Amino acid sequence: MAHTSRSGTIVAIVGGGSDDALDTLEGLRGVDTLRLTDSEPAIAARRIAAASAPWVVHDADPLVHVAAAWVELYEERATLGTLEIEVESALADFAEGRAIMPDYYIVLDPDAADTTWRHWWCGALGARAPRRVLPASAPSSPRDQALRQLLRALPTSRPWPEPATWLPGLPFDIPDRVGLHD
């Protein structure tokens, strides 16, 4: 299953303030910034795959519906069946090339996120490839250099495991317990 792209390093910026974050990277040599939040997932995947720069930074999360279903399950606003459907849909999108897993997630202001969302980013998702989910402050001004510096210093680590090996197990990733071992 191809869940990644062969183009440059792909970075998804998620969380509040992603538009401002992309603005701070606009015009940076070697970086394609793509605003894809409202795009259909397949269109977003094609645009990401077509980018030719060494760095592709965008605001589309291929797991956004899985994340929302996981959060809603643990906030008792959805059922397990909803999460299972979203997982199956995401796996099909990866298998068919309609979604591309980013190499890195930059999560803006995770401390300001609702608790369950913070557990999604830093726990359920982050536990799969801890050095590939990076917290960052949202830009404080249009000239904020923090994200540029973060791009220059992305840590190396093992790649994401195949989504089919971990997405089906998400119902067992309980907030406050993810990543804890006996």
Side-chain angles (χ1 to χ4, degrees), residues 65-87 170-171:
H65 297 294
V66 172
W70 185 86
V71 166
E72 290 172 2
L73 174 68
Y74 285 104
E75 290 181 350
E76 299 180 356
R77 295 184 290 129
T79 65
L80 176 59
T82 302
L83 177 57
E84 291 171 337
I85 289 169
E86 293 300 346
V87 165
L170 280 177

Side-chain angles (χ1 to χ4, degrees), residues 3 5 26 28 31 76 79 91 94-95 97 105 112 119 123 141 154:
H3 66 277
S5 170
E26 197 73 42
L28 188 60
V31 177
E76 299 180 356
T79 65
L91 291 174
F94 287 130
Y105 278 90
H119 286 295
S141 72
L154 290 175

Side-chain angles (χ1 to χ4, degrees), residues 9-181:
T9 300
I10 300 170
V11 179
I13 296 181
V14 296
S18 60
D19 280 344
D20 293 338
L22 288 175
D23 287 344
T24 66
L25 300 172
E26 197 73 42
L28 188 60
R29 187 176 7 210
V31 177
D32 280 346
T33 55
L34 305 174
R35 295 175 195 282
L36 302 171
T37 296
D38 296 326
S39 299
E40 290 293 321
I43 292 171
R46 284 196 299 271
R47 288 193 54 206
I48 292 165
S52 59
W55 299 92
V56 179
V57 183
H58 63 80
D59 58 358
D61 179 3
L63 297 175
V64 66
H65 297 294
V66 172
W70 185 86
V71 166
E72 290 172 2
L73 174 68
Y74 285 104
E75 290 181 350
E76 299 180 356
R77 295 184 290 129
T79 65
L80 176 59
T82 302
L83 177 57
E84 291 171 337
I85 289 169
E86 293 300 346
V87 165
E88 288 173 17
S89 178
L91 291 174
D93 286 346
F94 287 130
E96 298 298 320
R98 293 184 304 259
I100 296 173
M101 189 74 174
D103 296 300
Y104 295 90
Y105 278 90
I106 295 177
V107 182
L108 299 176
D109 294 331
D111 290 338
D114 290 335
T115 303
T116 313
W117 275 100
R118 187 170 44 254
H119 286 295
W120 165 257
W121 294 120
C122 300
L125 182 63
R128 305 301 176 228
R131 294 177 54 114
R132 296 205 175 249
V133 178
L134 306 170
S137 296
S140 59
S141 72
R143 296 184 136 326
D144 193 322
Q145 297 292 309
L147 286 178
R148 290 177 182 222
Q149 292 170 353
L150 182 58
L151 280 183
R152 289 186 192 108
L154 290 175
T156 57
S157 70
R158 63 182 169 88
W160 288 99
E162 287 291 327
T165 66
W166 59 275
L167 281 177
L170 280 177
F172 304 105
D173 289 344
I174 300 168
D176 284 339
R177 303 296 304 161
V178 176
L180 298 179
H181 302 286

